[in-house]
Amino acid sequence: MTSSTYVLYDYIPSLGCAVAFAILFSVTTAVHLFQRIRTHAKYFNPFLVGGIFQIIGYAARAAAHFNDKSTTVYALQTLLILLAPTLYAASIYMVLGRIITFLHAQHLSVIPVKWMTKIFVSGDILSFLLQGAGGGIMSSGSSNSLKIGQWVIVTGLCVQLLFFGAFLIASLTFHFRIKQSPTVESKKTMHRHQRPWPQDWRGLLGACYLVSGLILVRSVYRLIEFAQGNDGYVISHEAFLYVFDAATMFLIMVVMNLFHPSVVLRSGGHQPDESVELGLRTEEQESE
């Protein structure tokens, strides 16, 4: 399918960059797949699917180098690359609830743990649907649908930023409270004299903060891109995509390879007692 009503790209998509990131995402996604199989961490399924989205998205972008007028290829790479971070966010939302349960610190959470995953993942799903709908509208190939689709995506990104901001506030509030009033479990699971970072719940929370910050940066970039429109400066320069989306999303996947939640929540020299394990299973069932 081709379109002559408007130009899909203001440049020829870079073959080298697209292939490079398709390979990079393939490597880190393969590691995540191995970690998923080894640890049975079901709550990281969305994250793994997000990696698959990136691989297919950048493979399609490589194909766009040879056929930059195909709306099918354009829609495929746009949608998958656009939606992958919402899948990352869904897994990160689930991780916070599991950390709180693991540390017996439900009383320190600003949001009841039983509602936490449902609230944030529901917001993530809404953002996912809006961005997906906007991308679908854009792919129809007319200038009017392009504008409508862009503003639907902007709405989805605003929803994502709203819920992500609330998630960060909830995370930071919990972190502050547990530092002021540590639970017995939080003290027991702290690994001392670890360098350059602690390999326990503190390091995992730090990784979640870093990942959240990178998703926020990427979302703000996308918000500016779509708000400017198809003739804007950002969307017409491919370098922005690779700096603020591809590179940041790849870094997110590598960070979570290094700080995979299962290492802290399931092992790390400390096995949770029966009550903690029951709480984790309950949270996992609610998040599925």
Side-chain angles (χ1 to χ4, degrees):
M1 187 192 311
T2 61
S3 172
S4 59
T5 57
Y6 67 95
V7 177
L8 296 175
Y9 310 92
D10 286 327
Y11 48 79
I12 300 299
S14 170
L15 177 62
C17 288
V19 170
F21 275 99
I23 293 173
L24 290 173
F25 278 114
S26 295
V27 173
T28 184
T29 300
V31 176
H32 274 291
L33 177 60
F34 170 76
Q35 291 174 313
R36 165 64 182 87
I37 294 172
R38 182 173 59 86
T39 65
H40 307 288
K42 295 181 181 179
Y43 55 92
F44 243 57
N45 283 347
F47 202 97
L48 181 60
V49 174
I52 295 172
F53 273 27
Q54 298 281 19
I55 297 168
I56 300 174
Y58 283 101
R61 195 165 179 86
H65 174 82
F66 301 101
N67 189 358
D68 64 345
K69 291 182 173 53
S70 168
T71 54
T72 301
V73 173
Y74 174 79
L76 183 62
Q77 62 92 16
T78 298
L79 276 173
L80 296 183
I81 295 173
L82 181 68
L83 294 176
T86 63
L87 296 170
Y88 297 157
S91 287
I92 299 303
Y93 292 149
M94 296 180 206
V95 168
L96 178 61
R98 294 177 66 86
I99 291 174
I100 294 172
T101 303
F102 181 76
L103 298 178
H104 286 181
Q106 291 90 330
H107 61 288
L108 300 177
S109 176
V110 68
I111 300 173
V113 175
K114 67 178 181 179
W115 292 105
M116 181 173 292
T117 296
K118 294 176 182 177
I119 290 172
F120 290 124
V121 172
S122 294
D124 203 52
I125 291 172
L126 177 59
S127 172
F128 184 97
L129 292 175
L130 285 169
Q131 292 182 63
I137 294 171
M138 285 178 61
S139 67
S140 66
S142 70
S143 58
N144 286 334
S145 63
L146 179 68
K147 293 178 181 178
I148 294 172
Q150 285 175 335
W151 284 108
V152 173
I153 290 174
V154 166
T155 302
L157 289 168
C158 287
V159 169
Q160 185 178 54
L161 286 169
L162 177 64
F163 277 87
F164 227 95
F167 169 75
L168 283 176
I169 291 173
S171 300
L172 291 168
T173 302
F174 165 73
H175 201 172
F176 174 78
R177 288 178 175 179
I178 200 167
K179 286 180 67 177
Q180 297 298 312
S181 304
T183 62
V184 173
E185 195 70 19
S186 69
K187 292 179 179 179
K188 189 191 310 182
T189 55
M190 286 174 63
H191 300 167
R192 303 189 181 281
H193 309 300
Q194 299 250 355
R195 296 293 185 270
W197 50 74
Q199 298 289 333
D200 53 38
W201 62 268
R202 297 169 298 169
L204 179 56
L205 265 180
C208 288
Y209 294 148
L210 175 58
V211 166
S212 299
L214 290 171
I215 292 178
L216 280 175
V217 169
R218 176 263 177 195
S219 296
V220 170
Y221 147 68
R222 284 293 195 174
L223 188 61
I224 294 171
E225 176 189 41
F226 287 107
Q228 286 185 346
N230 197 49
D231 56 350
Y233 182 82
V234 173
I235 201 171
S236 61
H237 290 77
E238 189 178 22
F240 286 108
L241 171 70
Y242 285 105
V243 172
F244 292 107
D245 199 317
T248 55
M249 295 305 100
F250 173 68
L251 181 57
I252 282 173
M253 295 201 70
V254 171
V255 168
M256 298 316 295
N257 283 138
L258 298 174
F259 289 91
H260 199 275
S262 63
V263 175
V264 173
L265 300 177
R266 296 286 185 178
S267 58
H270 171 77
Q271 295 295 333
D273 60 33
E274 185 177 349
S275 60
V276 177
E277 186 66 25
L278 179 60
L280 288 173
R281 287 175 183 169
T282 301
E283 171 66 15
E284 184 172 284
Q285 290 170 357
E286 290 180 350
S287 65
E288 291 178 349

